[in-house]
């Protein structure tokens, strides 16, 4: 069914990929978990909190949170201002931007003790929450039009080349299953046919579910084929597991390539619309923040 040499030649590349990602992912999961825990704890404890926005630690948290949100503005400056182009790698600035975009608003939530106050404070708070949520949405769109969070911008040609390679890797593994080959052919035809932006956008959840379901079905079928093959050829358990891991990795890579290729132009449009909205929201936040600081120090 498959050439084991080809399998293992490729598995080094895949293993490298797999070992690179887990620690990165763990960092993101821990940061997300910590942020959620901090928000839930603050919400839960708000009636028992001794923090006051006007003085002491509550006041300091407001200054640090606001400062963090001013600092994160350095990322777009680093990206767009020529004289800053040699100020360290972009991906570090971007990572810092996203972290400060979460830490800053959390500190400000502690500053206001997770409660509403005067009209000017509420407007500043709402603006901050809107911009931070918008940032999270932007992060999602960003990964759809880039290779990961810190990679290059994706081009349709680059994606089609990647898809060809990924299909080639998978091709060796599905060649003996005509049913799987047919399913994949049908899926690819459906996904890659040109589609209207609004139709593609409204069918996003359905496309997601269809892809997940088909990937699961094919994975199941290929695993059972491999088990039969293992019994026939007396593979040891480790060899079988290596084959299965390889197939699953290639299958996931293939599905993600097809989805990314088919949705690229839609997400590029969504990302550019998001950019147009996010910047004015940022300026609205700055304005509301300044008004808030001036007003609370005047009265
Ligand atoms: C209060 C918090 C935040 C503020 C004030 C803020 C502000 C900004 C600004 C001014 C830009 C540049 C927009 C442009 O160039 O058109 C930007 C871009 C961006 N921000 Fe934020 N942001 C915040 C939070 C976040 C968060 C929490 C995330 C994600 C975790 C995030 C992800 C992004 C992304 C993906 C971009 C686009 C980057 C690019 O195109 O190069 N932001 N943000």
């Amino acid at each position: 069914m498959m050439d084991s040499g080809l399998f293992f030649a490729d598995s080094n590349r895949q293993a490298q990929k797999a070992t690179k990602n887990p620690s990165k992912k763990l960092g993101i999961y821990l940061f997300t978990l910590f942020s959620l825990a901090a928000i839930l704890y603050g919400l839960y404890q708000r009636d028992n909190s001794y923090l006051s926005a006007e003085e002491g630690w509550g006041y300091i948290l407001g200054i640090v949170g606001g400062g963090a949100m001013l600092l994160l503005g350095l990322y777009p400056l680093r990206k767009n201002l020529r004289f800053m182009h040699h100020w360290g790698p972009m991906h570090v600035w971007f990572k810092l931007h996203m972290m400060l975009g979460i830490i800053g608003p959390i500190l400000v939530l502690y500053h206001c003790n997770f409660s509403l106050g005067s009209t000017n404070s509420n407007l500043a708070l709402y603006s901050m929450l809107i911009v931070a949520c918008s940032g999270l949405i932007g992060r999602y769109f960003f990964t759809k039009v880039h290779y990961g969070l810190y990679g290059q911008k994706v081009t349709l040609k680059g994606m089609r080349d990647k898809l060809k390679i990924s299909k080639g890797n998978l091709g060796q593994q599905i060649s003996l299953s005509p049913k799987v080959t047919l399913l994949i052919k049908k899926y690819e035809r459906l996904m890659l046919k040109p589609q209207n932006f609004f139709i593609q956008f409204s069918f996003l959840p359905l496309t997601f579910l269809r892809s997940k379901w088909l990937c699961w079905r094919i994975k199941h079928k290929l695993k059972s084929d491999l088990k039969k093959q293992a019994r026939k050829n007396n593979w040891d358990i480790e060899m079988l597991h290596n084959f299965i891991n390889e197939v699953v990795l290639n299958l996931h890579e293939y599905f993600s390539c097809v989805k990314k290729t088919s949705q690229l132009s839609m997400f590029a449009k969504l990302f550019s619309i998001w950019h147009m909205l996010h910047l004015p929201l940022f300026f609205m936040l700055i304005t509301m923040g300044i008004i808030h600081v001036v007003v609370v120090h005047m009265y």
Side-chain angles (χ1 to χ4, degrees):
M1 180 189 189
M2 275 156 260
D3 177 359
S4 55
L6 276 173
F7 253 124
F8 289 115
D10 222 23
S11 33
N12 279 343
R13 177 178 54 83
Q14 299 289 4
Q16 274 173 358
K17 229 192 252 173
T19 47
K20 260 189 205 165
N21 287 339
S23 63
K24 256 190 207 167
K25 278 199 172 154
L26 184 70
I28 295 175
Y29 288 144
L30 285 178
F31 183 75
T32 310
L33 206 71
F34 182 77
S35 307
L36 286 175
I39 293 171
L40 289 177
Y41 178 80
L43 262 176
Y44 184 68
Q45 285 290 326
R46 68 180 173 166
D47 294 332
N48 308 322
S49 173
Y50 59 87
L51 288 174
S52 154
E54 287 105 44
E55 57 189 20
W57 279 107
Y59 184 75
I60 293 174
L61 285 176
I63 296 176
V64 178
M69 282 184 276
L70 281 179
L71 269 183
L72 63 75
L74 283 173
Y75 163 71
L77 295 180
R78 157 70 181 82
K79 193 174 164 186
N80 295 307
L81 296 182
R82 192 183 283 266
F83 80 93
M84 288 175 82
H85 280 183
H86 59 277
W87 287 21
M90 276 293 286
H91 69 94
V92 177
W93 283 94
F94 188 33
K95 205 181 279 182
L96 208 67
H97 172 88
M98 289 187 288
M99 286 173 75
L100 292 175
I102 290 176
I103 295 171
I106 291 179
L107 295 182
V108 171
L109 283 173
Y110 273 88
H111 159 74
C112 69
N113 198 20
F114 291 80
S115 333
L116 294 175
S118 59
T119 309
N120 83 78
S121 318
N122 294 347
L123 286 176
L125 181 67
Y126 290 141
S127 310
M128 179 197 78
L129 293 176
I130 291 172
V131 179
C133 291
S134 161
L136 290 171
I137 296 171
R139 181 193 186 278
Y140 174 74
F141 292 156
F142 188 94
T143 55
K144 300 289 176 187
V145 292
H146 289 79
Y147 293 109
L149 257 184
Y150 310 112
Q152 294 271 316
K153 211 168 186 170
V154 172
T155 61
L156 197 58
K157 182 182 175 320
M159 221 40 237
R160 286 194 184 274
D161 289 347
K162 204 169 170 227
L163 181 60
K164 227 182 259 172
I165 296 170
S166 153
K167 200 174 175 189
N169 289 337
L170 198 63
Q172 299 150 15
Q173 298 157 4
I174 59 170
S175 52
L176 277 198
S177 176
K179 193 177 161 195
V180 171
T181 313
L182 195 71
L183 281 173
I184 282 191
K185 216 182 236 174
K186 264 170 91 179
Y187 173 72
E188 214 178 282
R189 202 177 316 135
L190 184 80
M191 292 290 285
L192 296 184
K193 76 168 186 233
Q195 271 171 347
N196 169 294
F197 171 81
F198 291 103
I199 292 180
Q200 206 174 12
F201 182 67
S202 9
F203 280 94
L204 259 183
L206 197 72
T207 309
F208 173 81
L209 290 176
R210 182 191 286 137
S211 303
K212 283 270 172 235
W213 163 240
L214 191 66
C215 184
W216 183 85
R217 262 178 78 189
I218 293 178
K219 195 159 58 181
H220 221 65
K221 172 88 179 84
L222 290 177
K223 272 184 183 176
S224 95
D225 282 356
L226 276 173
K227 282 179 188 159
K228 274 186 211 151
Q229 197 73 14
R231 275 194 296 274
K232 212 163 101 186
N233 296 323
N234 281 331
W235 295 347
D236 61 34
I237 193 84
E238 202 191 330
M239 189 168 174
L240 174 65
H241 279 158
N242 280 334
F243 279 174
I244 288 180
N245 286 344
E246 188 71 29
V247 169
V248 170
L249 263 173
N250 283 337
L251 199 64
H252 284 165
E253 168 109 4
Y254 169 76
F255 270 86
S256 113
C257 268
V258 175
K259 263 198 303 178
K260 202 158 184 154
T261 310
S262 86
Q263 297 171 341
L264 184 61
S265 65
M266 179 195 63
F267 276 117
K269 206 170 269 178
L270 284 172
F271 190 51
S272 78
I273 295 171
W274 174 84
H275 255 291
M276 283 193 296
L277 293 174
H278 193 64
L279 206 56
L281 287 176
F282 174 63
F283 289 125
M284 176 183 77
L285 169 62
I286 300 270
T287 312
M288 292 303 167
I290 293 173
I291 292 176
H292 170 66
V293 172
V294 171
V295 169
V296 293
H297 286 94
M298 273 173 64
Y299 302 104

